[in-house]
C-alpha cells in the first residue's frame, strides 16, 4: 500500500460498500423506504462524503443529531432530501438561523419544543418523536403528544418516530413493548408516515413501518451481534510500525508497566494512540486480554496501555513483521465489532472517535 508522506496511518473508506449496505437494508425493509443517519460526522467517516454518496444512490431522507450537521448535510445533498434533526429544536438554537435557513426539520419531542416551533412558523416541517421506553428524548407519552398537538396544531408534521432501547437484543421483551406503544401512536395518527427501526431494528420481527433509519450498519457495523455480519466493511484502519525491539521475559512495556512479557518478546510500536481515537482499553494488561491487529495476514495482540500517540503490538509470532509494515485494526478481514468488543467498547464509539491525523483514502466509487 502507498500512503501520503507524514501520515501515520491510513483510514480507507469504501463508498461502494457504503452504498451496497444502504441498498441491502433498503431491499430488506421493503415496502418501507430507507433513510440514512449521518450524524457525528457520518459516524466519523466524513458527513459530506457519505451523505453525497447516499444521496447520489437515491436516499431521500437524512437524519443528523445536531443542526450544525444538518446545515452541512443540506449543502451536500441539495434542496430535495428531507433532513431531520434528532436532537429536536435545541434550546440553545435559533429556529430560523439554525433550522429554517437550511430547511431542517426538528424531531419535536415536547410541548415546549412544539410551541416554540409553531410560534416561529405554523407550517414548517417537523417530526414527532415519541419516547416509548428510552426515557431520554421525545414526548413522554402518547397522551402528552396528542394533547400538545391539539393545543398547538399538527400542520407540518411529516413523520412519527420512536427509538428502540435494545434492538440488537432480539429476545429483549422491551422490543415488543415499544412496538406495541408505537402501534397505538400510529393508530392515533394514521395519516403520518412512521419510522421505528435503527440498524438492528431492521432485523427485528414486527418492527417494519414506512421508513427505516439505519446508521451503524451503513458503515459496516454488525446490526445482528452474535450472528454473522450481513454488512460489508466500509472503514479500514491501517497504522504503520515505526520501531521494533526485543524485550526479555519479566520486562514490561508502556505507561505504568501494565503488561509483562512472559517470554522473550518482540514488540512493534505503532504510530497511533488514543488521540487518534483508539480505545484506551485496546491493549492487554497482566489482568486481561486486549484487542488484536492484523500484520502480514496474521493476528497479534496489542499489549500495554495505549498512549496518546502510540500503541504497542506483540509481534513475536510474526517474525516477518518489519518497520514500515501496516498493522490493521479493522477492515474487511478484521471485524470492527471484534476490535471494539476486545477493547471494552462498541464499534459506534470506535468510528465516531476516529482522529484527524490519518490519511483518508476514499475508494469504491
Ligand atoms: C443514532 C440513531 C439512529 C441510528 O442508529 P444505529 O443503531 O446507528 O442504526 C436512529 N435513530 C435515532 C433516534 C438515533 O439517535
Amino acid at each position: 500500500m502507498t500512503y501520503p508522506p507524514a501520515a501515520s496511518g491510513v483510514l480507507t473508506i469504501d463508498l461502494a460498500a457504503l452504498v451496497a449496505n444502504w441498498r441491502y437494508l433498503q431491499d430488506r425493509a421493503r415496502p418501507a423506504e430507507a433513510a440514512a443517519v449521518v450524524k457525528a460526522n457520518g459516524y466519523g467517516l466524513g458527513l459530506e462524503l457519505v451523505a453525497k454518496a447516499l444521496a447520489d444512490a437515491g436516499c431521500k431522507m437524512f437524519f443528523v443529531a445536531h443542526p450544525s450537521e444538518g446545515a452541512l448535510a443540506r449543502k451536500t445533498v441539495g434542496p430535495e432530501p428531507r433532513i431531520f434533526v434528532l436532537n429536536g429544536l435545541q434550546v440553545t438554537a435559533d429556529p430560523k438561523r439554525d433550522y429554517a435557513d437550511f430547511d431542517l426539520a426538528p424531531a419535536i419531542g415536547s410541548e415546549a419544543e412544539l410551541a416554540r416551533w409553531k410560534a416561529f412558523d405554523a407550517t414548517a416541517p417537523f417530526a414527532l418523536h415519541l419516547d416509548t421506553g428510552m426515557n431520554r428524548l421525545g414526548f413522554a407519552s402518547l397522551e402528552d403528544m396528542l394533547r400538545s398537538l391539539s393545543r398547538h396544531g399538527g400542520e407540518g408534521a411529516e413523520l412519527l418516530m420512536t427509538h428502540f432501547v435494545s434492538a440488537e437484543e432480539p429476545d429483549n421483551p422491551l422490543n415488543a413493548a415499544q412496538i406495541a406503544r408505537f402501534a397505538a401512536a400510529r393508530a392515533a395518527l394514521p395519516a403520518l408516515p412512521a419510522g421505528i427501526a435503527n440498524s438492528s431494528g431492521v432485523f427485528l420481527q414486527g418492527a417494519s413501518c414506512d421508513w427505516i433509519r439505519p446508521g451503524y450498519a451503513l458503515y459496516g457495523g454488525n446490526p445482528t451481534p452474535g450472528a454473522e455480519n450481513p454488512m460489508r466493511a466500509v472503514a479500514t484502519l491501517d497504522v504503520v510500525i515505526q520501531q521494533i525491539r526485543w524485550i526479555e521475559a519479566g520486562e514490561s512495556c508502556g505507561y505504568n508497566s501494565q503488561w509483562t512479557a512472559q517470554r522473550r518478546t518482540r514488540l512493534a510500536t505503532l504510530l497511533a494512540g488514543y488521540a487518534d481515537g483508539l480505545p484506551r482499553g485496546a491493549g492487554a494488561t497482566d489482568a486481561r486480554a486486549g484487542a488484536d491487529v492484523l500484520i502480514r495476514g496474521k493476528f497479534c495482540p496489542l499489549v500495554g496501555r495505549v498512549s496518546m500517540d502510540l500503541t504497542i503490538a506483540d509481534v513475536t509470532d510474526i517474525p516477518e513483521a518489519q518497520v514500515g509494515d501496516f498493522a490493521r485494526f479493522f477492515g474487511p478481514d478484521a471485524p470492527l465489532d471484534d476490535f471494539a468488543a476486545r477493547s471494552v467498547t462498541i464499534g459506534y464509539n470506535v468510528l465516531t472517535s476516529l482522529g484527524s491525523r490519518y490519511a483518508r483514502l476514499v475508494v469504491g466509487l
Side-chain angles (χ1 to χ4, degrees), residues 173-194:
L174 206 43
N175 293 323
Q178 289 191 276
I179 290 170
R181 284 176 204 142
F182 195 55
R186 292 181 76 190
L189 297 166
L192 266 191

Side-chain angles (χ1 to χ4, degrees), residues 37 39 43 86 136 161 163 198-199 213-216 348:
V37 182
K39 62 190 178 186
Y43 286 55
L86 291 167
R136 188 180 66 171
M161 58 168 281
H163 191 42
N198 68 333
S199 296
R213 207 170 61 236
Y216 189 50
Y348 293 73

Side-chain angles (χ1 to χ4, degrees), residues 148-165:
S148 302
L149 286 171
S150 69
R151 283 183 187 157
H152 304 282
E155 202 186 342
E158 291 188 357
L159 180 75
L160 176 65
M161 58 168 281
T162 192
H163 191 42
F164 280 120
V165 173

Side-chain angles (χ1 to χ4, degrees), residues 39-45 216 277 346-355:
K39 62 190 178 186
N41 193 28
Y43 286 55
L45 301 185
Y216 189 50
I346 55 175
Y348 293 73
N349 202 153
V350 171
L351 290 182
T352 56
S353 302
L354 284 167

